[in-house]
Amino acid sequence: MNWYLHVLKNYAVFNGRARRKEYWYFFLINAIISIVLSFVDNALATPGSIEGAGLIGSIYSFAVLIPTIAVGVRRLHDTGRTGWWMLIAFIPLIGVLILIYFFVLDGNYGSNEYGANPKEITTDTEGHFKV
């Protein structure tokens, strides 16, 4: 949950690097929340829930759109790629598969042009990030 909150606190930070753990924990918790909100939308019969895009789920999706893009860009930076690679997702199926491959790769060791290795950044006893 700390990784999810960390991404939300850095919702518009497009520079720097993001570890695999940061990206995938955010992805997992985001998917769980989306599934739960889908059930809530269907239970409450909110507008659009029959088509699969209920009101509550849509509001949540728009709320996390910028943080999702930002953590994706930072994840690409960790592998030494520019954030513009996110646009490959617009190529049906193949683009998404390429992005998933990039997101699964281990980050560059040491510093790269986007910053220090995030694996070298640790947390204190209270879970706050420190360098």
Side-chain angles (χ1 to χ4, degrees):
M1 190 68 165
N2 286 338
W3 290 109
Y4 180 79
L5 296 175
H6 177 70
V7 170
L8 291 182
K9 288 177 186 175
N10 295 308
Y11 71 95
V13 177
F14 290 88
N15 56 354
R17 295 168 62 175
R19 300 174 62 168
R20 280 186 292 191
K21 184 185 286 190
E22 178 181 349
Y23 178 81
W24 288 110
Y25 273 119
F26 176 77
F27 181 87
L28 174 67
I29 294 171
N30 193 27
I32 291 170
I33 291 171
S34 296
I35 291 168
V36 168
L37 290 178
S38 175
F39 284 118
V40 170
D41 276 331
N42 286 329
L44 297 176
T46 61
S49 61
I50 295 172
E51 293 83 16
L55 180 65
I56 299 170
S58 296
I59 291 170
Y60 174 75
S61 294
F62 285 123
V64 297
L65 178 64
I66 299 296
T68 301
I69 295 170
V71 74
V73 167
R74 291 194 312 269
R75 181 71 201 119
L76 287 169
H77 286 173
D78 192 40
T79 62
R81 290 173 177 79
T82 179
W84 290 105
W85 273 101
M86 289 288 288
L87 296 177
I88 201 169
F90 289 115
I91 298 173
L93 187 60
I94 292 175
V96 173
L97 292 175
I98 291 171
L99 270 182
I100 290 171
Y101 173 73
F102 289 159
F103 291 153
V104 169
L105 289 176
D106 195 14
N108 295 357
Y109 294 106
S111 296
N112 68 13
E113 63 184 288
Y114 302 105
N117 187 349
K119 288 184 178 179
E120 296 169 0
I121 300 172
T122 58
T123 59
D124 61 15
T125 57
E126 297 174 1
H128 299 103
F129 292 95
K130 64 179 182 177
V131 179

